[in-house]
Amino acid sequence: MRTGLAEELRRLDGASYGRYKSLTGTWRMPGFTLEVVRGQADPFAPPARVAVHVPAERAGFPGELRNCPVRRRALAGYLARQAADAAARTPVHVDCGRQEVLDRASCRIGDGRGGEEPGAVTVRMGVELLGRGRRIDGRAAEDVLCRLLPRLVERALCYASLDAAEVRRFVDTVEDADALRRALEPLGLVAFVADGAVLPRRSGVDERPLTGPGVVPFASPDAFRVAVDLPNAGRVTGMGVPEGVTLIVGGGFHGKSTLLRALEAGVWDHVPDDGRELTVSRTDTVKIRAEDGRRIERVDVHAFVSHLPSGADTADFSTDNASGSTSQAASLVEAVEAGARTLLIDEDTAATNLMIRDARMQALVAKDREPLTPFVDLARSLHRDHGVSTVLVMGGSGDYMDVADHVLMMDAYRPSDVTARARELARVPTGRKAEADAFPAVTHRRPAPASVDSLVRGRSRVRARGTDALAFGEEQVDVRAVEQIPDRGYVTGIGFAMELLVRRGHLDGKRTLAEALDLLDRELAGGAVELLAVYDDDCAVPRRHEVAAALNRLRSLRVNR
């Protein structure tokens, strides 16, 4: 271990900028160690990567705050936010995400595995090493590394300096959400929204809860209300969304899509006071939408598309420029292939011709001239035959009343149970005839590993472009329509996971995609540390569903059947 970092920085003052790389290694600091993982090549290069390691005795966090994986993840999420706040408006950046509490590379609480000290705190961060032109500014760098970082450690990473009640509340909140999510399947539910939840967000770019006198707290209809006992909050009540086909109806601007977006985000835990702390969905919940122009590679969409004028085989369908209907059909099949057991669909972002075909249109366009089979005729079979539930926002077609198990109406953000009334209306004949009654088994594909190549001139290239795109090797993967992506670090994690599938041999051309994702899940069960075994950058551990979605949008992808 190296010592004398301050003296070394003074010695480097005025040297060429590239000499910053000589700092790589581990330095002894007052009460912690500083690891310089990667230097900064020049003033315009990405910031240096450093890690602060605080021993358990100095950090001082009680055992009950870190005695299981979910509480360690929560504590790490809290500390990352504290470190980010302490580093605000400085050359130091700590990835802490937004409202979601994810397993991130930026902070880890030691669990004793691999020789690490239980209770030790590691925070990884980017540091802009300062210079004068292309010369090292040793004094400025000394101020950042030898004064700012020790203050950050003392103020943000030591239990004695923090609000103990606030720390415990954060950890307890995350543990309760995790316990609630685990309780869903035994209760026959796909989601839960607590009474008193605040679902509207401030804006399309601000995920914090809406505030003000017009905000309507959520209150479950009696018919949907369930009670669940949680480890910290005790008994909570709220709306349980049952398995099967659930229809959300109501007038425009009354909260239908807001509720669906809350369920979409319910696959993650949230920070206290988010309003959705106890709004949870099963981890295998996937939002589906239409996506004009996406690529499709050998997906069996014949359940939705019986034939095409071009003569293309819809049971083995590929295209570089999908329509809205074919893209949605492929995305749904791909989601089920990857293990989705709950689908969320909003009519606002769905392909209308894949969702409905009413009696008048059936009379006008004969079935032998219409290749599309609407989802309304397949939703029941998806649940009955494959165990896949659907929660659907639909304000424009009453035909879905025929197949819905439960119907929920949103009126000025207040939900009510209208299932009985919907069933009465469904008894009135419309003249519509069902065009299918069975969803076929999903055909599993085997990705060719050579087509998932992250290398550019022999070097790995995995980089997030915000939340819209992923640079992966020579390709740009468009993920704008993959709606369950919370932040940039999550996109980076998706890219790392894709590369890991190939590096570890999980994608070998023989395993199905689902089998490879099973292996990835087991590998990432230890959290971001498994990604950090290969990479050191800001990233969050992604779900298998977003990894699969990105793979399926990789234009170089080739698969075997």
Side-chain angles (χ1 to χ4, degrees):
M1 185 177 297
R2 303 172 69 179
T3 59
L5 177 59
E7 291 79 3
E8 179 65 12
L9 289 169
R10 293 187 202 115
R11 190 178 67 80
L12 290 175
D13 186 55
S16 63
Y17 203 94
R19 293 284 303 281
Y20 266 134
K21 292 182 179 180
S22 67
L23 299 177
T24 302
T26 303
W27 297 83
R28 190 184 304 280
M29 304 292 285
F32 67 97
T33 58
L34 174 66
E35 180 185 4
V36 180
V37 179
R38 186 179 71 229
Q40 187 172 339
D42 61 64
F44 307 103
R49 296 296 300 176
V50 308
V52 167
H53 303 284
V54 185
E57 183 177 2
R58 173 80 188 283
F61 290 96
E64 62 267 22
L65 292 176
R66 50 182 175 83
N67 57 9
C68 64
V70 65
R71 291 179 75 82
R72 285 192 292 273
R73 171 168 59 84
L75 179 57
Y78 178 83
L79 296 181
R81 286 164 172 79
Q82 293 298 306
D85 286 347
R89 296 179 295 279
T90 76
V92 176
H93 169 75
V94 180
D95 176 38
C96 66
R98 298 190 294 178
Q99 298 297 99
E100 300 81 14
V101 184
L102 307 178
D103 197 335
R104 297 183 180 277
S106 58
C107 187
R108 176 171 174 78
I109 310 301
D111 61 4
R113 295 190 311 157
E116 67 181 358
E117 183 188 14
V121 176
T122 296
V123 174
R124 294 174 172 84
M125 59 192 77
V127 177
E128 296 177 28
L129 295 176
L130 305 175
R132 296 185 293 270
R134 294 190 176 273
R135 297 286 172 178
I136 289 175
D137 187 339
R139 296 287 182 177
E142 179 188 358
D143 190 55
V144 172
L145 296 177
C146 300
R147 298 186 183 89
L148 178 88
L149 288 187
R151 289 198 300 269
L152 183 150
V153 169
E154 180 64 33
R155 295 174 183 176
L157 305 181
C158 294
Y159 183 64
S161 301
L162 300 172
D163 184 326
E166 184 180 83
V167 178
R168 182 174 295 279
R169 179 172 177 247
F170 194 104
V171 172
D172 288 351
T173 296
V174 173
E175 184 180 39
D176 280 345
D178 181 79
L180 180 56
R181 189 176 296 106
R182 293 174 187 273
L184 294 177
E185 187 170 358
L187 292 171
L189 304 175
V190 298
F192 178 94
V193 185
D195 290 328
V198 176
L199 305 186
R201 303 292 97 186
R202 295 189 184 183
S203 74
V205 294
D206 189 343
E207 279 293 293
R208 291 176 297 172
L210 186 65
T211 58
V215 174
V216 179
F218 192 88
S220 174
D222 290 341
F224 285 79
R225 181 171 284 113
V226 297
V228 183
D229 291 317
L230 300 180
N232 303 295
R235 174 153 292 201
V236 298
T237 63
M239 183 180 77
V241 181
E243 296 172 345
V245 180
T246 299
L247 195 60
I248 303 175
V249 302
F253 310 103
H254 281 261
K256 302 186 303 297
S257 296
T258 297
L259 173 57
L260 197 75
R261 283 194 292 270
L263 301 184
E264 171 189 324
V267 297
W268 304 298
D269 304 322
H270 292 85
V271 300
D273 301 321
D274 171 78
R276 303 168 298 179
E277 302 96 313
L278 295 179
T279 296
V280 300
S281 303
R282 288 193 195 177
T283 57
D284 55 10
T285 298
V286 175
K287 176 77 177 295
I288 303 296
R289 61 168 297 161
E291 185 181 355
D292 286 330
R294 66 154 288 195
R295 182 171 184 271
I296 297 170
E297 170 67 5
R298 303 194 69 183
V299 179
D300 180 357
V301 296
H302 85 275
F304 295 102
V305 189
S306 61
H307 61 279
L308 289 172
S310 65
D313 182 3
T314 61
D316 190 359
F317 181 68
S318 299
T319 181
D320 286 326
N321 188 21
S323 67
S325 55
T326 54
S327 67
Q328 184 176 329
S331 293
L332 191 152
V333 173
E334 290 164 349
V336 176
E337 177 190 18
R341 290 298 175 265
T342 304
L343 306 177
L344 306 179
I345 304 176
D346 191 330
E347 65 176 349
D348 284 350
T349 56
T352 301
N353 58 345
L354 194 72
M355 299 301 294
I356 56 174
R357 190 165 120 86
D358 64 19
R360 287 178 173 173
M361 195 58 69
Q362 286 181 327
L364 182 64
V365 181
K367 180 56 183 171
D368 63 356
R369 308 307 300 169
E370 174 53 82
L372 295 179
T373 298
F375 183 71
V376 67
D377 293 327
L378 297 168
R380 292 296 293 272
S381 173
L382 261 175
H383 180 244
R384 180 188 67 232
D385 303 325
H386 303 280
V388 178
S389 298
T390 303
V391 181
L392 174 70
V393 166
M394 180 60 66
S397 174
D399 289 337
Y400 274 89
M401 296 181 196
D402 295 332
V403 301
D405 297 302
H406 312 278
V407 184
L408 183 74
M409 178 179 284
M410 297 299 292
D411 184 359
Y413 288 89
R414 294 177 175 85
S416 61
D417 175 25
V418 294
T419 305
R421 176 57 176 155
R423 287 176 179 167
E424 288 179 9
L425 294 171
R427 295 191 190 102
V428 178
T430 65
R432 186 185 187 279
K433 297 178 181 178
E435 298 181 357
D437 63 359
F439 193 93
V442 171
T443 301
H444 286 274
R445 301 167 301 152
R446 295 168 171 79
S451 69
V452 185
D453 186 1
S454 64
L455 300 181
V456 177
R457 294 186 292 276
R459 300 183 65 180
S460 173
R461 180 172 177 257
V462 176
R463 190 170 302 124
R465 306 296 190 193
T467 57
D468 289 344
L470 169 68
F472 190 83
E474 300 281 2
E475 301 289 334
Q476 289 279 344
V477 186
D478 186 345
V479 293
R480 285 175 297 174
V482 184
E483 297 192 25
Q484 289 166 293
I485 291 180
D487 56 50
R488 183 181 184 277
Y490 196 89
V491 177
T492 304
I494 290 171
F496 287 170
M498 287 168 59
E499 190 174 57
L500 210 60
L501 281 168
V502 178
R503 279 183 184 245
R504 297 287 200 263
H506 302 330
L507 290 182
D508 62 359
K510 299 177 181 178
R511 292 191 184 94
T512 66
L513 176 58
E515 291 169 340
L517 292 171
D518 288 342
L519 293 174
L520 179 69
D521 277 348
R522 287 198 285 272
E523 186 160 9
L524 295 184
V529 68
E530 304 301 338
L531 291 176
L532 288 171
V534 184
Y535 315 96
D536 195 297
D537 210 341
D538 292 337
C539 67
V541 177
R543 298 191 308 159
R544 64 188 285 146
H545 304 289
E546 284 74 60
V547 176
L551 273 172
N552 284 315
R553 287 158 178 77
L554 181 67
R555 290 189 173 267
S556 64
L557 179 70
R558 298 292 180 268
V559 302
N560 306 315
R561 293 280 296 271

